[in-house]
Amino acid sequence: MRHAARAGDGALLADLAGRWGPWLAGRGEPGPAAGAVSAARAAGPGDAAEPRDARLAVVAAHVHLARGEHDGARAALRRARRDRSRDPDAHAFLVATERVLGRRTSLGPRATSEPAPTEPAPTEPALAAHVRVGRGAAALLAGDAPRARTELGAGLAAAHRLGLEVLAHRGRALLAAALWLAGDGPRAREAADRVVGEHGADGPALAPWTAVARAVAAHAALLRADPAAARATPHDGGDLVPAVRFATRIARGGAAVDLGDRTAGLLELQAARAELGDTAVPGGLAAVAALLEHRAALALGHPTAAGAVAGWLAGRHPGSPALGLVRGWAAVAAGDPAGAREAVAPLLARRPRPTPYALDVEAWLLESAGRLARDDRPGARAAARQAVGLAAPHDVLRPFAHADAGVRALLVDELATGAPRAAFVARALAAGATSPAGIALSVREHDVLTRLPSLESLDEIAGDLDVSINTIKTHVRALYGKLGVTTRRDAVLVAHEQGLLG
C-alpha cells in the first residue's frame, strides 16, 4: 500500500484497500490505511475531501472510527453509498460496517435489522469475520437474540483466529448486549465486565463498543437492585450508536427513580425517548424504557404521562407482551382490579421465559397483589412464590423493591423455607433498603431480631439464648417500638427494608 501510494496509483490503492482494509480495521492498525486514503485523495479530483471509490471510502470510515472521529466516519459511509461500484466485497464491507452502527444499508429500502438470509458469505477470511459480526448486530437490533448470539459467536471465533482484536472487542460487547436481551442478566454482566476491563477499552477505537458493555452492566445492576452502580455509568462514549446512548440514559433515569429522585428520573426517561425520535431499537430495550417510565409516572401520580409512554410502546411494537403489564399497572392505579386481572391473564397463562425486564416476575407479583385485594391469601402466597421461583435463578431483585407492601409482607414467611431460597428472599426484601441511621439496637435486641424470621416460638428463642421468656418479650416489645410495627411479620419486613437483617 505504501508503494502504491508513492506511485500515485489510485486504482491499485483501491484494490489493495478492498483486500486488506478489513484486516487493518479489525486489527486496529489505521496507519497504512490512512496513508492509502490520503494518497488516493491527493491523486483524485482537487475538490474531493475523501476518495469516492467505495472500497477506499469504507476504509476511510474505519480510519475515522479508530481516531474517534465519528462525524468523519459517517460522512465516509455516505460517500461509499453513493459509489456506483458493484464490487461485492466492497458492498459486503460497507453493509457490515453500517449494520454494526445500526444504520440503513446501501442495498435498497431494507433496513440493517433485516439481513437477507440468502446473502453469500465472502470468501476472504477477515471480511467474512466483519460480515458475521455485522449480521449479529443486525439481528440484535431486530430483537432476535438467538440469531445474534449465533452470528456474533461465529464472528468472534474468526476474529480471534485471525488476530483481529478490535473486531473481537466489538463482537464481545455486542454479545453482552445479546445475552442481556435474552434475559440472561448474570452472564451478560460477566461478559460486559470483561469488555470494560480489557486493555485500551477507553481508547478512541474501542470506546464506542465499551459504551455498549457499560450500558449492559448498568441495566444488569438496575435489575439486581443496585441503582447506585447504574447511576454511576458514564453517559458519554455511546454517541456513535444512538441505541447505546438511549440505553444508557434510561438506565440512569431508572436509577434516579430507585434512589428516590423520582421527578428527575422521570424527566431523564422522557428526554431519552424524545431524543431517540424514530431511531430503531430492539423491542426488548423499548419495553424496558416504557416500563421504567410508566412506573415512574404512575408513582408520581401522572396517569396522562404514563398513558403517553404506553402509546409509544404500542406504536413501535404493538405485539410487545410488556403492554399487558403496562395495562395491568394502569388498571391498578385507576382502582380497577378486574381490569388488572384481565390485562395480565395472558402473561400468567404463557410459558415463562427470561426477558431483560423480568416480565413474568412482575406479572406474578401483580397477580399476588390482586389476590390479596380479593382476600385470597393462599392464592396470593402461591403467586408470590411463583415470582420468587422465576426471579432467583437470574438474580432479579428490582421488581420486589417496587412490589405491593402486602406482597412483601407475605414473603416474610418464605424466610423459613431454608437456603438458598430463603437467602434470595432476604435479598429481595432488602432490595431498595434505606439507611438504618437512627435505629440503634442493643446486642441482645439484634440477637432476638435475627431469630424472628425463623419458625421458632418465643419460648424456643428464649431457650436458645438461655434467658427467660419474659426477657424475650421485653426485647420484642422494644424492637417493635423502634421499628414502628405491631407484628412479628412486619418487624422482619421493616428490618430487611432498613438493612438491619443481612
Side-chain angles (χ1 to χ4, degrees):
M1 292 181 75
R2 284 193 295 269
H3 283 296
R6 288 187 177 187
D9 191 333
L12 180 57
L13 277 171
D15 289 339
L16 291 173
R19 178 179 178 186
W20 296 107
W23 285 83
L24 295 171
R27 291 173 62 87
E29 297 180 6
V37 170
S38 298
R41 182 171 59 240
D47 62 346
E50 295 281 4
R52 296 173 184 245
D53 185 284
R55 293 166 294 187
L56 278 165
V58 179
V59 171
H62 281 273
V63 170
H64 287 301
L65 287 175
R67 294 172 174 171
E69 300 165 352
H70 299 165
D71 289 341
R74 295 185 186 101
L77 288 176
R78 285 194 295 270
R79 278 185 287 275
R81 291 190 203 108
R82 291 196 297 266
D83 181 71
R84 297 303 179 187
S85 168
R86 287 293 177 258
D87 182 290
D89 284 353
H91 280 288
F93 197 20
L94 171 61
V95 170
T97 302
E98 290 183 317
R99 282 179 173 159
V100 167
L101 300 181
R103 285 169 170 78
R104 298 182 70 84
T105 73
S106 57
L107 302 181
R110 185 165 42 81
T112 60
S113 59
E114 301 167 351
T118 57
E119 288 175 2
T123 57
E124 201 285 310
L127 179 56
H130 278 275
V131 167
R132 296 302 291 268
V133 171
R135 289 177 181 172
L140 183 64
L141 183 59
D144 189 348
R147 182 175 181 184
R149 293 169 66 176
T150 298
E151 296 286 358
L152 291 168
L156 263 174
H160 283 303
R161 185 171 63 253
L162 300 171
L164 309 178
E165 282 308 311
V166 168
L167 181 61
H169 181 88
R170 184 181 304 163
R172 282 190 288 269
L174 292 171
L175 184 58
L179 289 168
W180 174 77
L181 193 65
D184 193 344
R187 288 183 62 198
R189 183 172 70 249
E190 291 174 7
D193 288 345
R194 284 197 298 271
V195 171
V196 173
E198 288 179 2
H199 177 70
D202 290 320
L206 303 185
W209 319 109
T210 304
V212 174
R214 286 200 170 104
V216 170
H219 280 279
L222 196 62
L223 202 54
R224 69 175 189 275
D226 187 2
R231 184 66 172 170
T233 304
H235 59 276
D236 54 359
D239 296 343
L240 180 61
V241 182
V244 179
R245 177 172 171 81
F246 177 68
T248 302
R249 290 195 69 181
I250 63 171
R252 288 168 56 85
V257 171
D258 288 0
L259 290 169
D261 197 351
R262 291 177 174 176
T263 300
L266 178 59
L267 290 174
E268 177 79 3
L269 291 163
Q270 291 173 330
R273 185 163 56 85
E275 181 185 65
L276 183 68
D278 294 331
T279 301
V281 295
L285 179 58
V288 170
L291 291 172
L292 288 172
E293 186 179 335
H294 189 272
R295 175 167 258 162
L298 288 180
L300 287 167
H302 300 321
T304 302
V309 71
W312 173 81
L313 179 60
R316 276 181 168 254
H317 302 281
S320 174
L323 288 169
L325 184 60
V326 164
R327 295 178 185 122
W329 285 345
V332 169
D336 180 12
R341 288 200 308 273
E342 182 179 354
V344 299
L347 300 176
L348 304 180
R350 72 174 194 166
R351 182 178 180 180
R353 66 198 72 169
T355 65
Y357 42 99
L359 177 63
D360 295 311
V361 176
E362 294 279 17
W364 280 105
L365 288 173
L366 187 60
E367 171 70 3
S368 180
R371 288 183 177 272
L372 268 182
R374 301 195 300 274
D375 293 325
D376 179 8
R377 292 185 68 82
R381 184 173 287 108
R385 287 174 175 168
Q386 181 75 1
V388 169
L390 293 171
H394 301 283
D395 204 29
V396 172
L397 296 170
R398 185 178 188 269
F400 296 92
H402 293 270
D404 178 83
V407 173
R408 289 173 59 82
L410 279 180
L411 289 173
V412 170
D413 295 339
E414 299 298 303
L415 295 172
T417 59
R421 184 182 181 88
F424 175 80
V425 171
R427 293 176 61 225
L429 292 176
T434 57
S435 169
I439 303 179
L441 303 181
S442 68
V443 173
R444 184 58 77 184
E445 286 170 347
H446 187 268
D447 289 343
V448 173
L449 178 62
T450 59
R451 286 166 169 78
L452 291 184
S454 71
L455 294 177
E456 292 181 310
S457 66
L458 295 185
D459 281 326
E460 291 170 327
I461 294 174
D464 287 344
L465 297 178
D466 196 24
V467 296
S468 70
I469 181 62
N470 288 332
T471 299
I472 293 298
K473 288 180 178 178
T474 299
H475 289 315
V476 169
R477 283 195 297 270
L479 280 171
Y480 286 2
K482 290 180 178 181
L483 297 175
V485 299
T486 58
T487 67
R488 180 171 176 169
R489 177 184 284 110
D490 287 344
V492 173
L493 177 60
V494 171
H496 276 289
E497 292 175 339
Q498 294 294 322
L500 297 171
L501 283 174

